[in-house]
Amino acid sequence: MSWGLEGPVSTHVPVLRIGDVLLVTLQGELHDKAAEHLQQDIGEAVAGSSAGAVVIDVSGVEIVDSFLGRVFAEIAANAKLLAAETVVAGMRPAVAITLVELGLTLPGLRTALDVQEALRMLAQPSTPLSPGQGRQENA
């Protein structure tokens, strides 16, 4: 029996370390099982390192459902408990609109227009955000 294209496909998303930051880049559609694995992988990576932040690059994601939105919020909550903050970078307007339409708030998540802005935000001392310097959900 061949497992080629017919068999289950493992969607492992690498968690890369850049200094004090863990970077996760998502591409295409992230199925529920892969999202659960991602949540676990990020939690283990934060716990097993001295990383102070997680950047999730969603610029390659075109579709977000309520489950994936909740996973993002849970990743941020878990990271916060492990003394790391979470920034979601590169969200497309359609994805943002979908999250709003679904009524999802993402407490604990900061947002940045791209990964470069996210890294710049994280490099600055923790001070209140000025306009245009990322956003934070206060729910």
Side-chain angles (χ1 to χ4, degrees):
M1 179 173 203
S2 171
W3 284 94
L5 296 175
E6 301 158 9
V9 177
S10 173
T11 312
H12 175 73
V13 179
V15 179
L16 306 174
R17 184 170 181 163
I18 302 172
D20 190 34
V21 177
L22 299 176
L23 174 63
V24 179
T25 301
L26 304 179
Q27 296 293 320
E29 189 175 347
L30 193 65
H31 298 284
D32 291 357
K33 197 69 164 171
E36 289 173 346
H37 284 293
L38 175 66
Q39 183 177 359
Q40 182 176 357
D41 290 348
I42 290 174
E44 290 173 2
V46 171
S49 70
S50 59
V54 177
V55 174
I56 304 172
D57 178 11
V58 296
S59 59
V61 176
E62 295 184 25
I63 299 172
V64 172
D65 61 8
S66 60
F67 179 78
L68 187 56
R70 282 193 305 272
V71 167
F72 288 159
E74 289 172 7
I75 287 171
N78 292 339
K80 187 173 184 175
L81 288 173
L82 297 169
E85 65 178 304
T86 304
V87 179
V88 173
M91 188 176 299
R92 295 173 185 237
V95 171
I97 290 168
T98 300
L99 291 174
V100 169
E101 287 175 347
L102 291 171
L104 292 176
T105 59
L106 302 176
L109 278 177
R110 293 173 66 184
T111 60
L113 294 177
D114 56 32
V115 172
Q116 186 176 8
E117 180 185 341
L119 294 174
R120 193 170 38 250
M121 284 171 29
L122 293 168
Q124 297 174 356
S126 285
T127 57
L129 297 176
S130 60
Q133 184 187 17
R135 295 118 189 116
Q136 184 166 1
E137 181 64 41
N138 293 324

